[in-house]
Amino acid sequence: MSDTLQQLAGQALMVDVAGPRLGDEEAAFLQELGARAICLFRRNVPDEASIRRLIADLQCALGEDILIGMDQEGGAVMRTLFLPAAPSAMALGAVDDAELAEKVGAAVARGLASLGVNWNFAPVLDLNNNPANPVISERSFGEDPLKATRLARAWINGHLSEGVACCVKHFPGHGDTHTDSHLDLPVVDKPKAELRDYELSPFAALADLAPGMMSAHIRFPTLDADWPATLSPAILQQLLREQLGYQGVVITDGMNMKAIRERWGQAQGSAQALAAGADLSLVLQFPDEMEESKQALIAAVSAGRLSEARLQEAAARVDALIRRYPSRQRDYDAAQRAADADLFADAWRRALTAHGQPQRPPAGATLRLVVQDQAPSDGVSEAGLSADALIARLIAQLSRRFSLEVIRYQRREELDWRRLPQDGRYTVVASTTRERYGARERAEWRPDLHLALWNPYAAADLDAPALISYGFADAALDAVAQWLAGEIDAAGALPARLH
C-alpha cells in the first residue's frame, strides 16, 4: 500500500473532536488518521477564547491548510452562543429583502472568520412544501423556489464576500419528507420532472456559486432505485456533476445518522459515498469508525470498487477550497460586532408575522403564560428555549406594562387545559420546541394568543391567533415583547403555507 493512498484516504474524511480542548492523545489520533477537515459542534465552542485556542491547536497538529467546518445557519442552528444571533432563513423569507439577506450572510461570515472557521454548512436550499417535515421548517427560506433561490443567492454572495466558504444543503432536496434522516431513511418518490422543476431548481440555479454542497440521506426512487443520494453515483456523479456541471466540494451529511449508519455503517458508507462522487465523508462521533472508514477506503481501492484517481480528484477539490478560503483568525472589533447585532435585531423585528389576527392584551393586564419548563434539543438544532429564559426576557421588556403569571409543565400530556382558571385573563401559549401539537392539544387548548417561537408550523395546530417569530434568539423575543407592548407591528409575511 502506497503512502499516497494512505494520505488520500485520510484526507477524504471530515471528523469531529471531543470537546473544547485538543489533548495530546486526540491530536496524535488525528495525525495518524491523516484528516485535515474538522467539524465543530456547540460542545467545542463554549466561548470565544476556547474556540480560538482549539483551532490554533488543530492547525499546530495538522498544519495550517485545514478545513474547519460548522453549522451556522442562523435561528436555532447556531453553534455559538457568544456571537450575534442571526435570523433563520425563514425569517429572511418572511421579510423578503435580498439586500437584507446579503448583509446577514456577510455578518454571519464575519463572526466565523474571527474564529478561524472557514467553511459554513449553510444555507439550506430545501424548500418547504411539506408542513409535516420534522427537521427543516424555519431552516428553509420558504416554499417558492424562485424566491428561495433569490434570497439564498444574496445570502451566499454576502457570505463569500467575507472570505468564508459556504455549503448549500441537502442535495437534491430534504423539504418534502415526513422522516428525519437522523432517525431513519426518508423516501421522496416523485417523478423526475417534478423533482427537476421544484426540489432541484435552487441547487441547479446556484451550482456555479456555491463552493460546497452537502448530500441528503434520502432515497429518490425515480433518480436511483437502490441508493440514497449520499451513496448514489446516479445522483452525485451523473446528475450533480455531469448534468448540473457542479465543480465544488461535495460532502456527505453526517454518516453517524441512522439513515446511513444503521444500514451500511460509517465505514462502508464512506467508501460508497466517495465512489459515488462525494469528496468528503462526514464521519462523526466514534473514533474507531473514523479509522475503520479510512481503512474501508483503502480496501475499496484494493478491491477495485473505488479508484485512487477518484480520491485524488476529491483531494484536489478540497485543496482548492482551502486555498481559496484559508482558516485565518481575524479581528472582529466591537463596533462591527454591535452593528451586526443591530442588523440581526432589525431582521428579527421585520420578520415577525401575525397569523389569524392576534389582538394585543390591554395595558395593565395580567398575562397568563403557559410554557414548557425545559425545551430539549431536537438533535439537529440546539436546545430549545427554557421557561426561565423566556420569562426573564419578557419581564425585562414588559414589567412596566403587564403582570405575568406563569404555568409551567414538563410534558404536554401533564397539562389539563380544562383546569386552568376561567377568570378572563389573557392566556398565552408559548411554543418553545420544534415539536408539533397532538390531537389532544388541538382539541382542547384555546389560548388568546399562541407564540410560535420555534416551528412556525405549530401555529396551525391550535385554534388560536398566533404570532410567529421563526426563532427564539434574544432579539426575536424582544421583537415579540415590543409587539405585545404595541411598539411595533408584525409586518412579516408567511413564506410557506402552514397546511
Side-chain angles (χ1 to χ4, degrees):
M1 183 197 326
S2 69
D3 291 342
T4 300
L5 180 55
Q6 284 271 5
Q7 181 183 40
L8 290 171
Q11 290 181 345
L13 306 177
M14 175 174 257
V15 299
D16 58 345
V17 292
R21 297 297 298 264
L22 184 69
D24 292 342
E25 185 176 339
E26 191 169 35
F29 170 77
L30 293 175
Q31 290 168 343
E32 179 66 24
L33 187 67
R36 57 170 173 173
I38 307 295
C39 183
L40 302 181
F41 294 89
R42 182 166 285 185
R43 66 179 185 271
N44 305 118
V45 294
D47 55 67
E48 202 155 346
S50 294
I51 184 175
R52 283 173 170 266
R53 182 181 60 235
L54 174 61
I55 292 176
D57 288 347
L58 286 166
Q59 290 175 331
C60 183
L62 305 178
E64 291 190 353
D65 293 333
I66 60 175
L67 269 180
I68 304 294
M70 193 160 71
D71 295 283
Q72 197 85 333
E73 299 172 12
V77 186
M78 287 281 289
R79 300 307 186 209
T80 59
L81 288 172
F82 50 84
L83 292 174
S88 63
M90 193 180 274
L92 293 174
V95 179
D96 194 15
D97 181 340
E99 183 179 358
L100 176 66
E102 184 169 355
K103 290 178 179 178
V104 167
V108 170
R110 275 193 291 273
L112 293 176
S114 73
L115 308 175
V117 174
N118 55 339
W119 202 16
N120 186 6
F121 299 128
V124 167
L125 295 190
D126 307 317
L127 298 171
N128 268 328
N129 59 331
N130 185 347
N133 191 310
V135 69
I136 300 301
S137 181
E138 83 293 340
R139 300 167 65 197
S140 162
F141 289 101
E143 69 175 334
D144 182 274
L146 294 177
K147 175 179 169 180
T149 299
R150 174 168 47 82
L151 293 173
R153 183 186 299 278
W155 195 99
I156 293 169
N157 279 327
H159 200 279
L160 298 181
S161 74
E162 292 292 331
V164 179
C166 60
C167 181
V168 297
K169 57 190 183 185
H170 305 80
F171 182 83
H174 206 315
D176 195 9
T177 61
H178 290 77
T179 304
D180 180 355
S181 51
H182 290 79
L183 306 176
D184 205 346
L185 180 63
V187 177
V188 176
D189 195 1
K190 289 183 169 182
K192 282 186 180 180
E194 190 173 339
L195 291 170
R196 179 198 64 217
D197 294 341
Y198 192 73
E199 275 83 0
L200 279 168
S201 59
F203 294 97
L206 299 174
D208 290 340
L209 181 62
M213 192 170 296
M214 180 177 284
S215 65
H217 300 333
I218 300 174
R219 278 190 61 234
F220 295 83
T222 58
L223 301 179
D224 189 323
D226 301 315
W227 295 106
T230 291
L231 309 180
S232 169
I235 294 175
L236 296 188
Q237 181 60 37
Q238 296 167 25
L239 174 58
L240 180 58
R241 296 294 191 196
E242 297 172 13
Q243 294 180 34
L244 299 185
Y246 186 64
Q247 297 300 313
V249 172
V250 174
I251 184 171
T252 72
D253 207 343
M255 301 295 271
N256 63 328
M257 293 160 62
K258 290 184 179 181
I260 299 296
R261 187 170 183 260
E262 290 191 349
R263 288 166 174 78
W264 295 276
Q266 296 206 82
Q268 293 307 315
S270 294
Q272 177 60 30
L274 267 291
D279 301 307
L280 283 170
S281 181
L282 184 56
V283 181
L284 302 173
Q285 194 175 0
F286 305 100
D288 58 333
E289 295 180 17
M290 298 172 192
E291 178 58 35
E292 289 168 9
S293 296
K294 177 180 177 179
Q295 296 307 318
L297 293 174
I298 294 169
V301 172
S302 299
R305 300 190 305 272
L306 173 65
S307 70
E308 189 167 327
R310 171 79 267 278
L311 291 180
Q312 289 171 338
E313 176 187 55
R317 288 200 182 104
V318 176
D319 285 341
L321 185 69
I322 294 173
R323 284 196 304 270
R324 187 174 179 187
Y325 302 98
S327 171
R328 303 288 185 268
Q329 295 177 356
R330 291 190 240 149
D331 185 46
Y332 193 23
D333 65 71
Q336 184 64 68
R337 188 183 298 237
D340 290 343
D342 288 344
L343 171 74
F344 293 163
D346 180 59
W348 284 116
R349 282 192 296 270
R350 293 171 64 186
L352 201 63
T353 301
H355 177 66
Q357 298 182 324
Q359 302 298 308
R360 295 181 177 91
T366 296
L367 307 187
R368 176 176 289 123
L369 177 66
V370 181
V371 60
Q372 186 170 348
D373 191 47
Q374 293 294 331
S377 169
D378 64 345
V380 180
S381 311
E382 306 303 339
L385 178 65
S386 72
D388 287 342
L390 174 60
I391 292 163
R393 206 73 189 180
L394 292 181
I395 288 176
Q397 298 290 328
L398 297 173
S399 59
R400 288 179 295 179
R401 187 174 179 89
F402 305 111
S403 300
L404 192 65
E405 172 198 345
V406 180
I407 295 176
R408 302 169 182 250
Y409 60 90
Q410 298 298 322
R411 296 182 301 277
R412 289 175 180 172
E413 56 267 26
E414 297 175 357
L415 181 68
D416 187 345
W417 190 268
R418 296 165 297 183
R419 295 194 175 188
L420 295 186
Q422 302 300 309
D423 53 10
R425 284 190 172 174
Y426 187 95
T427 301
V428 180
V429 164
S431 295
T432 57
T433 76
R434 192 185 290 284
E435 183 183 5
R436 299 287 297 272
Y437 287 91
R440 186 181 71 91
E441 293 86 18
R442 291 169 183 257
E444 297 179 5
W445 290 23
R446 293 292 183 271
D448 297 296
L449 177 66
H450 179 191
L451 298 180
L453 301 177
W454 188 342
N455 188 344
Y457 292 100
D461 293 343
L462 302 183
D463 186 11
L467 195 65
I468 301 171
S469 64
Y470 309 99
F472 49 85
D474 285 350
L477 300 183
D478 291 346
V480 169
Q482 289 165 0
W483 181 88
L484 286 166
E487 297 170 2
I488 62 172
D489 291 326
L494 276 166
R497 289 164 291 184
L498 298 183
H499 298 280

